[in-house]
Amino acid sequence: MAKNNPHLNPETFRDALATVKEDGKRNWVYPKKVKGFFYRYRTYLSWVLLAILFVGPFIQVDGRPWLLFNIFERKFILFGAVFWPQDTHLLIFLLLIFFVFIILFTVVFGRIWCGWACPQTLFMELVFRKIEYLIEGDANQQRKLNEAPWTAGKISKKGIKLSVFALISLAIGHLVMAYLIGIDQVLEIVSRPPAENLAGFIGLIAFSGIFMFVFTWFREQACIVVCPYGRLQGVLLDNNSINVMYDYVRGEPRGPIRKNEKAEVHKGDCVDCTLCVQVCPTGIDIRNGIQMECVNCTACMDACDEVMVKVDRPKGLIRYASESSIKEGVQKLITNRVKAYSVVLILLIAAFITLIATRDVFEATITRFPGMTYQLRDDQTVSNLYQITLINKTFEAQEVNLASLLAGYRVEKVGDQNWVLEPQSKMEGRFFLVKDQASVDLPQEEVPLSLTHDGKEVEQIKTSFMAPVYK
């Protein structure tokens, strides 16, 4: 989009990152403290979103977590509904819906997610950065402190800041683990000595250390270098996408206001104060146009509006707008591209609803017991041992039975004879298929089995039976 701006030279900023010096070293960003309309409401929204984020693991539905992403046991709970490995196709559809929605949202509204709702931005700009301002001061004071020799004052400030950062990082690490393994498991880990659950303890420390590293040192590099969403921005946005934009038509040619300047000298509204650059958390100049590093945090909008009020010029020199609206004065949201993505999204949602409505309430998987083929018994019968995994996807306890549909076979359960599945749970059991040895006609035969509940068949499963033939 910046190529349409006649006042910019792409060679001055497209070939380098603002956070990297010419010699390749890190160019540390010290964003100036910002205030204003958008920053105030971003703060309010961050309180709400962070509250939801921290409360999430504690919310339970009928004794189950409201949200759980247990990648270790391949068990996912979304809004109280459990998804098992057998529901992988449903999770794929959910991911596709989420991905297409993100594309559609970005095509229309740009990277508003990054600036207003992304956890990285919420924690970095509205938690850790605020603490840093409180302890070390504004941008210039932070810069001076970092360049100053190590004194008792510097050591105390850095020590206090890092201690607070470490405590918050520990809280975030525990929060992430709660979403992965459940709040009950996390409480059990922290209430016992580390040696009793070393894997869980190492996981908590590892997650906390990662967040400490990101928010203390890596910072904006997570958005610029790591985040794939920022990289995708270049192919998702077009001239009709709404972003934080500098109105170069109104602002150029830029220049400071000087006393006794001749009236015939034409200047745009931009007074070249560079405050928009000073408050940017990724160190870019928004006046260069749309850039990969921009997270749409609105800090430059608040800073510019404050200056415009002081120089008695209209607000909105930097605002939410599209390239088309700035260049041509026309904003078009519903484009053919938006319509196409919308159709795809609607089709995916319809398919997902259909799959949910037709999903089986029970799942059963039968496998032969490892390392065993058949067993000859003293009563002149032959048996095969199997393992069965049963999944109850309903919200009520269910008792199920298993029977052979092929004459001459009977099912013998091993251990508990009553297979009762708790709501939204998984159970594993063992059973024998038994047949009279004299009636064996084939060394391997396919046997259909019927899984029943309350006398009704809920699923049919086929397995193979192996036995020696003596005829």
Side-chain angles (χ1 to χ4, degrees):
M1 268 74 70
K3 64 183 180 181
N4 296 323
N5 188 337
H7 303 284
L8 303 180
N9 178 10
E11 300 302 324
T12 62
F13 71 98
R14 291 295 187 197
D15 57 353
L17 290 175
T19 55
V20 179
K21 297 179 181 178
E22 291 184 0
D23 58 3
K25 294 182 179 179
R26 173 83 173 270
N27 184 23
W28 200 267
V29 177
Y30 297 93
K32 185 178 177 63
K33 190 186 299 184
V34 65
K35 61 181 180 179
F37 174 83
F38 292 100
Y39 185 76
R40 182 167 63 253
Y41 280 96
R42 280 178 63 223
T43 301
Y44 296 156
L45 180 62
S46 71
W47 294 345
V48 175
L49 295 177
L50 289 175
I52 294 173
L53 189 64
F54 275 95
V55 170
F58 294 92
I59 301 175
Q60 295 192 342
V61 179
D62 295 330
R64 301 179 305 278
W66 190 58
L67 291 171
L68 183 70
F69 307 95
N70 194 334
I71 57 176
F72 310 108
E73 298 179 3
R74 295 176 295 171
K75 178 182 178 181
F76 301 88
I77 301 179
L78 301 176
F79 312 116
V82 180
F83 295 87
W84 300 92
Q86 291 81 357
D87 297 316
T88 301
H89 61 290
L90 295 176
L91 292 175
I92 290 174
F93 263 89
L94 269 179
L95 290 175
L96 285 173
I97 289 170
F98 176 75
F99 185 66
V100 174
F101 174 77
I102 288 294
I103 292 176
L104 177 60
F105 193 82
T106 304
V107 167
V108 179
F109 298 109
R111 288 182 71 177
I112 195 171
W113 157 266
C114 296
W116 288 80
C118 176
Q120 164 69 18
T121 304
L122 292 180
F123 280 114
M124 185 66 253
E125 301 305 323
L126 300 166
V127 177
F128 286 88
R129 191 85 73 186
K130 284 179 177 286
I131 294 170
E132 198 165 54
Y133 287 141
L134 183 65
I135 297 173
E136 296 185 353
D138 207 346
N140 289 333
Q141 294 170 296
Q142 292 177 25
R143 188 179 289 105
K144 290 179 181 178
L145 181 67
N146 287 341
E147 294 173 354
W150 287 95
T151 61
K154 180 175 180 177
I155 292 173
S156 64
K157 286 185 177 182
K158 292 293 184 183
I160 293 172
K161 185 185 81 169
L162 292 177
S163 298
V164 175
F165 279 14
L167 289 174
I168 299 175
S169 297
L170 280 170
I172 300 173
H174 284 67
L175 174 70
V176 171
M177 286 293 287
Y179 277 108
L180 292 178
I181 62 176
I183 190 64
D184 295 335
Q185 291 282 346
V186 172
L187 292 176
E188 184 178 347
I189 292 172
V190 300
S191 62
R192 295 185 178 184
E196 293 187 14
N197 197 329
L198 193 59
F201 176 75
I202 292 174
L204 288 173
I205 297 302
F207 277 115
S208 302
I210 289 171
F211 290 115
M212 182 70 175
F213 168 75
V214 169
F215 295 116
T216 303
W217 188 84
F218 203 53
R219 301 194 162 204
E220 73 283 343
Q221 302 299 309
C223 302
I224 297 173
V225 178
V226 176
C227 180
Y229 184 40
R231 298 283 179 176
L232 283 172
Q233 181 185 211
V235 295
L236 296 179
L237 302 181
D238 58 26
N239 287 343
N240 292 302
S241 301
I242 296 176
N243 282 284
V244 173
M245 297 280 291
Y246 166 65
D247 188 345
Y248 57 86
V249 174
R250 172 186 153 190
E252 300 295 333
R254 70 185 73 152
I257 299 175
R258 293 186 176 90
K259 292 183 179 181
N260 303 321
E261 192 170 37
K262 294 182 179 180
E264 59 268 16
V265 176
H266 173 70
K267 286 185 179 180
D269 283 352
C270 179
V271 297
D272 204 18
C273 63
T274 71
L275 277 177
C276 57
V277 181
Q278 296 176 44
V279 299
C280 180
T282 58
I284 67 169
D285 189 340
I286 192 63
R287 296 172 297 178
N288 288 330
I290 293 295
Q291 295 158 71
M292 180 191 70
E293 301 95 316
C294 178
V295 294
N296 278 214
C297 69
T298 70
C300 56
M301 291 169 59
D302 281 325
C304 186
D305 283 347
E306 186 178 6
V307 173
M308 290 298 102
V309 171
K310 290 180 179 179
V311 299
D312 195 26
R313 293 177 182 177
K315 293 181 180 180
L317 180 60
I318 302 176
R319 64 182 185 274
Y320 280 121
S322 67
E323 175 69 24
S324 295
S325 67
I326 289 176
K327 186 179 180 182
E328 304 168 7
V330 177
Q331 177 64 59
K332 185 179 180 182
L333 290 179
I334 310 301
T335 62
N336 290 333
R337 191 180 181 195
V338 171
K339 292 176 183 177
Y341 284 132
S342 299
V343 170
V344 173
L345 182 61
I346 292 171
L347 291 175
L348 286 173
I349 293 174
F352 178 74
I353 293 173
T354 301
L355 289 173
I356 287 289
T358 57
R359 183 173 71 148
D360 294 331
V361 295
F362 290 100
E363 289 280 353
T365 304
I366 294 176
T367 56
R368 184 178 297 277
F369 195 81
M372 298 184 68
T373 54
Y374 60 84
Q375 303 83 42
L376 297 175
R377 298 184 175 185
D378 294 337
D379 59 356
Q380 303 303 309
T381 60
V382 61
S383 65
N384 285 195
L385 181 60
Y386 301 88
Q387 291 186 147
I388 184 170
T389 301
L390 297 166
I391 296 177
N392 177 16
K393 300 178 183 179
T394 69
F395 294 97
E396 298 177 356
Q398 308 285 355
E399 183 175 355
V400 296
N401 291 294
L402 191 66
S404 171
L405 294 175
L406 190 63
Y409 290 91
R410 70 177 185 271
V411 173
E412 290 183 1
K413 297 177 183 177
V414 177
D416 190 355
Q417 299 299 302
N418 296 316
W419 286 349
V420 178
L421 287 78
E422 296 300 320
Q424 300 280 299
S425 66
K426 179 174 69 173
M427 186 194 81
E428 294 185 351
R430 295 179 185 176
F431 69 92
F432 286 104
L433 270 182
V434 184
K435 186 177 184 179
D436 291 336
Q437 186 175 345
S439 63
V440 175
D441 297 318
L442 299 170
Q444 183 168 327
E445 186 174 17
E446 188 176 83
V447 181
L449 302 174
S450 175
L451 186 70
T452 60
H453 165 64
D454 287 341
K456 297 180 180 179
E457 184 177 84
V458 293
E459 189 174 357
Q460 283 191 14
I461 317 106
K462 292 181 179 180
T463 188
S464 62
F465 183 86
M466 300 176 64
V469 180
Y470 291 104
K471 294 180 179 180

